[in-house]
Amino acid sequence: MSFAATRKLCVAFSLAMLLFVGGCRGPEADVPPPPPAEQVQPADGQGAVSSESIPGSAFNRFFPPASGEYERVYTQEKDGFAEAKLKRNGEDVAMLAISDTTNVPAAAERLRNSSDRISGYPAATLGTSQTSILVGDRFQVKVISRSPDFTESDREAWLKQFDLQGLSRL
């Protein structure tokens, strides 16, 4: 093989490798890196998890037990929050949740100022599908209807089934 043929082969090989290696870059290579967390967290602390938050797993023991035609299925657990679906005959009828308001102080303030009470705790109804109470001046306990058959009185009854005294001592 002549020098000119070898040179052409090397140039062709080099170009092919450049195209191959350049083509291996994923689309994410063109995306700029995300900004530091302190730039994307709202100034009021919403969305940020406080270092004082109780682990979500600590809340599970305070949820009402499954009974009769109702089944409780835990769906989410993270620092400062735990959630479970409430099912009746296999259908989702409500969501049950406990959250640490150190992460969302505005939620605690809204409940603190409420004149409504459920089991002695400040309570509030939001729209036609959500009822919540403030326990121990820190924990928001919430029941959200997922079925039109699950009424405000159902939500209040299920709020009363949480271990509210135990939660208040947490």
Side-chain angles (χ1 to χ4, degrees), residues 128-166:
T128 59
S129 64
Q130 180 177 307
T131 305
S132 58
I133 59 176
L134 182 65
V135 176
D137 202 40
R138 179 173 179 174
F139 303 107
Q140 180 178 0
V141 181
K142 185 185 304 188
V143 177
I144 303 168
S145 297
R146 293 289 188 229
S147 166
D149 298 335
F150 201 83
T151 65
E152 184 175 359
S153 61
D154 292 323
R155 293 192 305 269
E156 287 184 22
W158 277 92
L159 281 167
K160 292 174 182 178
Q161 291 183 47
F162 279 82
D163 178 4
L164 301 173
Q165 280 193 310

Side-chain angles (χ1 to χ4, degrees), residues 25-103:
R25 253 183 34 188
E28 65 278 0
D30 297 329
V31 176
E38 63 272 7
Q39 292 179 4
V40 295
Q41 295 295 344
D44 65 0
Q46 294 205 12
V49 176
S50 168
S51 61
E52 298 173 16
S53 288
I54 305 285
S57 60
F59 297 136
N60 291 344
R61 64 185 172 179
F62 303 110
F63 278 79
S67 65
E69 61 189 344
Y70 289 97
E71 177 186 5
R72 179 196 62 211
V73 180
Y74 290 106
T75 55
Q76 191 176 60
E77 185 181 285
K78 59 186 179 181
D79 284 348
F81 182 77
E83 180 180 74
K85 285 182 182 179
L86 186 63
K87 295 181 171 221
R88 180 176 49 213
N89 301 322
E91 177 193 349
D92 291 351
V93 293
M95 295 298 292
L96 312 174
I98 300 175
S99 58
D100 189 338
T101 62
T102 58
N103 299 317

